[in-house]
Amino acid sequence: MSGNLLSLAIWIPIVAGLVVLSTGSDRNAPLARGLALFGAILGLVVTVPLYIGFDKTTSAMQFVELASWIPPFNINYHLGVDGISMLFVILNSFITVLVVLAGWQVIENRVAQYNAAFLIMSGLLNGIFCSLDGILFYVFFEASLIPLYLIIGMWGGPNRVYAAFKFFLYTLMGSLLFLLALIYLFFQSGGSFSILDWHQLPLALNTQIWLFLAFLIAFAVKVPMWPVHTWLPDAHVEAPTGGSVVLAAIGLKLGAYGLLRFSLPITPDASHELSGLIIALSLIAVIYIGFVALVQADMKKLVAYSSIAHMGFVTLGFFMFNALGIEGALVQMISHGFVSGAMFLCIGVLYDRMHSRQIADYGGVVNSMPKFAAFFMLFSMANAGLPATSGFVGEFMIILGAVKFNFWVAFAAATTMIVGAAYTLWMYKRVVFGAVANDHVAELTDINGREFLILAVLALCVLGMGLYPLPFTEVMHASVNDLLQHVAQSKLQ
Amino acid sequence: MLSNFIVPDLVPAAPELFVLAMACVILIVDLFVKSKERTLTFVLTQLTLVVSATITFYTVSYDKTYTFANMFVDDQLADLLKLLLDLTVIVVLFYARGYIAERVSMAKGEFYVLVLFATLGMMVMISANHLLVLYLGLEMMSLSIYAMVALNRDSTQATEAAMKYFVLGALASGLLLYGMSMVYGATGTLEITEIAQALAQGAVNKTILVFGLVFLVAGIAFKLGVVPFHMWIPDVYHGAPTPVTLLIASAPKLAAFAMVIRLLVNGLFFLSPDWQQMLMILAVLSMAIGNLAAIAQTNIKRMLAYSAISHMGFMLLGMVSGVVDGDARYAMNAYSSSMFYMVAYVITSVAGFGMILLLARAGFEADSLDDFKGLNKRSPWFASMMMVVMFSMAGIPFFVGFFAKFSVLLAVVAAGHIWLAIVAVLFSLIGAFYYLRVVKIMYFDAPIDNSPIPASLDTKLLLSANGLAVALLGLFPHALMYLCAVALISSL
């Protein structure tokens, strides 16, 4: 059983998705929902042993599975997790359960396909985090576009077709060049697609720079980094709530994870060489996109831009090459998974009732939805990085790391504390406080038991991680230190 | 006189002889068939193909076997391609049957006989070891198909397509023959193995030979349908009755691939630096024009026609990556990646055109993109099959099209043509747009008509199997890759 936990984490949701799909038309919607929830919970349950059985003392890959897949090209079904990827597998499986719950009453149209798309996507995303073979990674990376494309296009808003195409083609553009980089590495390494082999592969600086740029195009689009971020606000605004949650909580982490798995260890010299570029782009994302978020009139767009700014923080943390920075970035990624997921769910709660995401249509929501207002308050504070919430831990660690690296970088990054607080709390104020804006707001009903459960679970995660982050950070130490040693060693000959 | 006559070994050509005999028999039997649906003719045709495949399977020749005074060759490449060819035609006929039976002007036995003769022509092309035999096979296939395109004689569109195909096809045949005569002039032989020997010995006039090569490549390019010899493809795909389009889009691609291998690799391998350059230009142009023009189409048959052009261009990328600076180390991998690409494309494209036939019914052609609107509401299962086909053609994993593109790209990078690989992936990106649009039409748009899918059960089952094959070969592409590699190695 423990021998193929990762395979179970990948294939249980996918098989569950196919089963859900087979329930067919909306007449069987209750059955589809029940099966989907069962599949999602089962998928989460099998990831629990990953944490319990995880050996914190080693940086080696754990729960490894290795089987030959396509022998002529030496492509293997090679899975394994370390301290960097393990938490994302659990996070993803966890978010999937919430997403299935979040769509429970809201989605009434093609229920089986909706739930199946999320389950299949969940399995594919787990596959990305577990892959230790370059082509296996790529295959999961690319295949995960299909479900999200369908989710945005089938259950999205009025401009969904444009957003779905933009999302798909933008990401595909990045990943096709990434594929060529993988093929190039295959020949450089004498016929291996193993990511771990590539970590040891000596490469000339020139080659490293080209590879780094190919990786960067793929991952920068996915993160997304300024200036290739423009697909994200469109995708978020048009996607249904569940789609936005998965995209923000997991989708954006893929790019950052790719940087850690590919760019830093395979091309360490190029990473040092071009770190200035990445830091500059990250700071632009943090500061400029922060101001862009300030002026948004649409709540989802505001949170989308805030996600870009937060991810700017993550890429900043990676390229300062110290343990605080990288661990802070990882913590930030997980925290952002909770917080942005929760923010999109909160907006979804409002949207389900009012069918509007415009800040101007709201005001005084606290009068009719007090319980909701309390949760929304907590998540907004976490988004702004208030101490004792998970949002604070990562940002603080990254700023500490930045101070070690360069004071002015740290200073610029720290302005996010102000801008982030400004755009989040200002939105919160306009939506929740003040006089009741109109009759629709006055008639709002507070959250029901299902919504309460979802938000409460997330609130516990946000507070728990903010107050006691050790369970999250202690599993990372060994892997992050190993990564840092790796990056510090030149691969030039 | 008679004492000089040696009876040739007929075993290597047994499948061809059987198809020939049966085609003649069916032609006569059909005269006595009364039923409008031509059930007997259909069954006999299918049986012929099944038996031909069985003969091919049981007479697989592990060595190269020559017969008919070295004019005809049987090797594993020929056997594999013939098996795939028979299988493709069987599937095509199953898909086509309902459509043919519903249309009075086409419901004649001739269709089946012509299909058999076209198949015979393709089999001869696959096994040709002599330029004239190759030409005979090619013409046999082409003439049968010209007639099939015009089978619906009341349709001006089909007649125009047939005329266009015939005139351009005749021109291409002329070019090919002219090239062959040049090769004959330079080497003094028409036998492909002897041409290769003559080149190896070096005592040939290279100017004449390369001059001839240009015409040969032009002829091949026409049959493959690559730019700038692609003009007929959109018109013929669009104008021909859909079952004929289905046939043209699938089986002849396998034969054309055999022609590429026989002429360029078996015969003119020593000229590979020359033909690689030519094919490289054709490949890049095809990917560019095919993918760009496909975006503008509103008719799905036309769109798939341009997509076919771009796919043939991509397939050629493998052929241009065989020899680098005289080093043929990667040649086998490169050519077998092309072959794998071709086979994967044929499997996918059969399913794609099969979907158009599935939606067609009496008096209604489902060949506009809009006819696919809201297919997900009408039939989620077949919408998902079409989605699999589209994503496979776009080269998205986990479908077979991804591994086809991947293996060709691997060959291209191995040959050091990184810029070519970059061009190829950029055009794939453009191509992804119009495949995605089909998915959008099926899944995001509301249906125009809500009628249930009319096709018969066997078509539905077969089409499902075909779609699943595209998906499963994407998960486990290894066996097919291996077969292609083994077959190619045996042919050299």
Side-chain angles (χ1 to χ4, degrees):
Chain A
M1 192 54 188
S2 67
N4 42 26
L5 273 177
L6 296 180
S7 280
L8 289 177
I10 296 170
W11 296 106
I12 282 182
I14 293 181
V15 171
L18 294 176
V19 172
V20 170
L21 207 52
S22 70
T23 61
S25 76
D26 285 342
R27 269 175 298 144
N28 300 327
L31 177 66
R33 289 191 188 106
L35 279 174
L37 185 62
F38 177 73
I41 290 177
L42 195 63
L44 177 62
V45 167
V46 295
T47 60
V48 173
L50 291 181
Y51 188 86
I52 296 171
F54 192 80
D55 182 356
K56 293 164 198 144
T57 54
T58 172
S59 66
M61 290 296 163
Q62 306 187 28
F63 306 103
V64 173
E65 291 171 43
L66 179 61
S68 184
W69 181 23
I70 305 175
F73 301 140
N74 202 5
I75 298 173
N76 295 312
Y77 180 73
H78 191 182
L79 303 176
V81 285
D82 61 1
I84 295 171
S85 52
M86 186 266 290
L87 289 173
F88 292 105
V89 176
I90 301 177
L91 177 68
N92 176 37
S93 303
F94 170 71
I95 292 287
T96 306
V97 177
L98 294 188
V99 161
V100 170
L101 276 177
W104 201 264
Q105 287 153 340
V106 185
I107 301 293
E108 291 168 337
N109 195 356
R110 289 172 289 188
V111 177
Q113 291 187 344
Y114 178 85
N115 284 304
F118 277 102
L119 284 171
I120 292 173
M121 183 157 64
S122 165
L124 295 173
L125 293 171
N126 275 344
I128 299 173
F129 290 118
C130 297
S131 297
L132 296 180
D133 182 279
I135 295 302
L136 192 64
F137 178 94
Y138 180 83
V139 162
F140 281 122
F141 191 72
E142 192 102 308
S144 68
L145 300 182
I146 299 175
L148 195 54
Y149 170 75
L150 293 175
I151 288 166
I152 296 176
M154 288 171 74
W155 294 276
N159 206 10
R160 62 210 158 93
V161 173
Y162 171 78
F165 271 76
K166 194 168 177 182
F167 157 75
F168 197 103
L169 292 176
Y170 229 117
T171 326
L172 187 65
M173 173 191 76
S175 52
L176 282 171
L177 292 171
F178 173 55
L179 177 65
L180 289 185
L182 295 182
I183 293 176
Y184 186 78
L185 274 168
F186 173 74
F187 289 108
Q188 287 289 314
S189 62
S192 169
F193 274 117
S194 162
I195 298 173
L196 299 178
D197 285 353
W198 291 345
H199 285 186
Q200 315 297 336
L201 180 72
L203 291 163
L205 184 62
N206 198 19
T207 315
Q208 281 196 32
I209 287 184
W210 282 112
L211 286 172
F212 183 88
L213 291 176
F215 291 151
L216 184 65
I217 290 176
F219 298 134
V221 168
K222 208 73 186 182
V223 168
M225 293 171 75
W226 186 87
V228 284
H229 64 280
T230 62
W231 61 273
L232 186 74
D234 286 318
H236 266 317
V237 168
E238 299 303 328
T241 305
S244 290
V245 171
V246 173
L247 184 59
I250 310 297
L252 304 192
K253 309 305 177 297
L254 298 175
Y257 173 73
L259 289 174
L260 278 190
R261 193 54 95 222
F262 287 87
S263 306
L264 288 180
I266 295 176
T267 59
D269 302 289
S271 303
H272 283 286
E273 197 80 6
L274 296 173
S275 62
L277 171 73
I278 306 292
I279 288 174
L281 292 180
S282 305
L283 287 178
I284 293 175
V286 169
I287 298 165
Y288 165 70
I289 298 292
F291 281 110
V292 173
L294 203 54
V295 298
Q296 296 306 315
D298 181 313
M299 286 189 272
K300 258 190 159 178
K301 239 181 181 155
L302 189 146
V303 180
Y305 279 110
S306 120
S307 287
I308 301 170
H310 281 109
M311 291 311 289
F313 237 86
V314 170
T315 48
L316 177 70
F318 286 164
F319 282 83
M320 295 179 314
F321 309 108
N322 56 43
L324 266 175
I326 292 182
E327 281 185 19
L330 285 168
V331 170
Q332 167 87 337
M333 280 158 76
I334 292 167
S335 150
H336 180 254
F338 293 136
V339 176
S340 68
M343 290 295 281
F344 280 116
L345 283 168
C346 286
I347 296 169
V349 165
L350 288 177
Y351 182 79
D352 293 341
R353 288 164 172 72
M354 295 271 288
H355 296 283
S356 166
R357 288 183 305 258
Q358 298 300 315
I359 296 173
D361 289 348
Y362 291 89
V365 170
V366 67
N367 296 310
S368 42
M369 301 176 75
K371 278 188 259 174
F372 170 77
F375 279 120
F376 197 17
M377 179 71 170
L378 173 69
F379 298 130
S380 299
M381 288 302 180
N383 201 42
L386 187 82
T389 64
S390 63
F392 173 74
V393 183
E395 287 187 12
F396 188 63
M397 285 167 82
I398 295 171
I399 292 174
L400 280 184
V403 173
K404 273 189 184 174
F405 176 78
N406 177 321
F407 173 76
W408 290 108
V409 170
F411 180 79
T415 57
T416 188
M417 290 291 200
I418 301 161
V419 183
Y423 59 70
T424 318
L425 297 183
W426 190 34
M427 174 191 78
Y428 185 79
K429 183 225 142 204
R430 283 180 291 167
V431 171
V432 175
F433 294 143
V436 174
N438 51 43
D439 293 349
H440 296 298
V441 173
E443 288 162 11
L444 284 174
T445 49
D446 208 344
I447 47 178
N448 60 26
R450 177 183 59 88
E451 290 161 336
F452 186 88
L453 175 71
I454 299 171
L455 295 180
V457 169
L458 278 169
L460 282 179
C461 294
V462 168
L463 280 176
M465 194 174 172
L467 291 170
Y468 190 57
L470 189 68
F472 293 92
T473 52
E474 68 179 359
V475 292
M476 298 171 185
H477 283 315
S479 297
V480 169
N481 285 332
D482 181 63
L483 177 72
L484 279 172
Q485 274 176 16
H486 212 97
V487 178
Q489 260 167 15
S490 172
K491 277 189 163 191
L492 306 176
Q493 285 175 325
Chain B
M1 282 298 281
L2 264 178
S3 63
N4 286 337
F5 185 76
I6 306 163
V7 178
D9 180 9
L10 295 180
V11 175
E16 283 84 352
L17 295 173
F18 179 74
V19 172
L20 173 63
M22 284 306 288
C24 299
V25 170
I26 291 170
L27 186 60
I28 296 167
V29 169
D30 183 65
L31 292 176
F32 302 98
V33 175
K34 292 278 182 297
S35 104
K36 255 189 180 165
E37 264 121 42
R38 305 273 149 182
T39 313
L40 181 65
T41 319
F42 171 76
V43 171
L44 279 178
T45 311
Q46 293 288 44
L47 273 180
T48 307
L49 291 165
V50 170
V51 174
S52 153
T54 318
I55 299 175
T56 314
F57 186 75
Y58 282 104
T59 59
V60 168
S61 71
Y62 293 97
D63 306 310
K64 280 186 111 142
T65 321
Y66 298 95
T67 185
F68 293 114
N70 284 351
M71 293 205 288
F72 189 93
V73 61
D74 189 20
D75 52 15
Q76 288 180 56
L77 177 70
D79 291 329
L80 179 61
L81 283 175
K82 278 181 215 169
L83 276 176
L84 290 168
L85 178 67
D86 285 334
L87 189 65
T88 311
V89 178
I90 290 171
V91 174
V92 165
L93 285 180
F94 267 116
Y95 291 166
R97 190 165 171 240
Y99 184 99
I100 299 277
E102 276 165 358
R103 282 157 182 80
V104 185
S105 61
M106 291 185 72
K108 299 189 193 98
E110 282 89 338
F111 175 76
Y112 297 103
V113 177
L114 284 171
V115 168
L116 279 184
F117 276 115
T119 311
L120 177 63
M122 292 182 238
M123 291 167 92
V124 171
M125 277 169 82
I126 289 171
S127 268
N129 190 41
H130 191 276
L131 297 184
L132 279 184
V133 174
L134 185 77
Y135 180 75
L136 281 178
L138 180 67
E139 284 304 287
M140 180 160 220
M141 173 191 87
S142 304
L143 286 169
S144 310
I145 293 179
Y146 301 148
M148 269 191 273
V149 173
L151 205 56
N152 189 3
R153 59 166 192 209
D154 297 332
S155 154
T156 43
Q157 219 178 19
T159 316
E160 185 199 323
M163 277 307 291
K164 202 161 185 171
Y165 191 15
F166 177 70
V167 172
L168 286 174
L171 183 72
S173 297
L175 290 177
L176 198 65
L177 271 183
Y178 191 60
M180 288 175 177
S181 72
M182 289 288 167
V183 173
Y184 181 69
T187 60
T189 176
L190 284 169
E191 203 183 298
I192 289 172
T193 32
E194 281 182 9
I195 292 172
Q197 278 166 13
L199 282 168
Q201 283 153 9
V204 286
N205 183 336
K206 206 174 166 217
T207 318
I208 298 180
L209 201 59
V210 173
F211 191 63
L213 177 67
V214 174
F215 288 96
L216 287 185
V217 168
I220 293 173
F222 180 86
K223 288 299 156 195
L224 282 173
V226 289
V227 179
F229 304 97
H230 68 289
M231 302 296 185
W232 62 279
I233 294 256
D235 291 331
V236 173
Y237 276 41
H238 183 188
T242 313
V244 180
T245 313
L246 169 63
L247 183 75
I248 300 175
S250 52
K253 306 283 181 205
L254 295 170
F257 179 77
M259 188 163 130
V260 174
I261 295 291
R262 296 285 180 223
L263 277 179
L264 299 183
V265 178
N266 288 162
L268 301 168
F269 191 65
F270 274 77
L271 292 183
S272 55
D274 299 282
W275 55 256
Q276 280 184 0
Q277 279 178 5
M278 299 179 204
L279 292 187
M280 194 183 290
I281 296 167
L282 297 180
V284 172
L285 285 177
S286 303
M287 287 188 294
I289 293 184
N291 280 322
L292 289 172
I295 293 175
Q297 306 308 319
T298 54
N299 180 294
I300 189 159
K301 279 158 83 180
R302 254 189 130 74
M303 189 202 94
L304 287 176
Y306 281 106
S307 131
I309 295 170
S310 74
H311 279 289
M312 290 307 108
F314 209 107
M315 184 281 294
L316 283 182
L317 291 180
M319 299 305 301
V320 307
S321 308
V323 182
V324 193
D325 303 328
D327 178 4
R329 228 178 343 152
Y330 293 118
M332 273 343 304
N333 283 335
Y335 302 151
S336 70
S337 75
S338 276
M339 182 165 170
F340 178 65
Y341 193 97
M342 198 57 126
V343 174
Y345 172 74
V346 168
I347 296 172
T348 318
S349 115
V350 166
F353 283 101
M355 283 297 305
I356 306 175
L357 282 174
L358 181 81
L359 296 185
R361 56 180 176 270
F364 174 72
E365 308 285 330
D367 61 355
S368 158
L369 274 175
D370 287 345
D371 295 330
F372 282 77
K373 271 193 174 171
L375 185 61
N376 181 41
K377 287 225 176 80
R378 292 173 65 193
S379 165
W381 174 253
F382 287 107
S384 68
M385 288 295 123
M386 187 64 173
M387 177 169 71
V388 166
V389 169
M390 287 298 123
F391 279 125
S392 175
M393 284 198 177
I396 309 290
F398 284 87
F399 308 114
V400 67
F402 167 71
F403 285 101
K405 284 207 160 72
F406 172 74
S407 59
V408 169
L409 284 176
L410 207 62
V412 173
V413 175
H417 302 310
I418 302 222
W419 66 269
L420 199 58
I422 293 175
V423 169
V425 297
L426 289 181
F427 282 120
S428 300
L429 177 67
I430 295 172
F433 171 77
Y434 58 85
Y435 298 122
L436 276 183
R437 193 176 53 185
V438 176
V439 177
K440 172 232 155 197
I441 286 170
M442 292 189 301
Y443 278 84
F444 307 168
D445 291 352
I448 295 178
D449 76 308
N450 277 309
S451 55
I453 306 284
S456 63
L457 185 67
D458 56 342
T459 309
K460 283 184 173 172
L461 283 178
L462 200 60
L463 194 56
S464 306
N466 196 337
L468 289 177
V470 172
L472 285 178
L473 281 171
L475 284 173
F476 307 103
H478 170 210
L480 188 57
M481 281 178 182
Y482 179 76
L483 276 179
C484 291
V486 168
L488 256 175
I489 289 167
S490 80
S491 77
L492 295 187

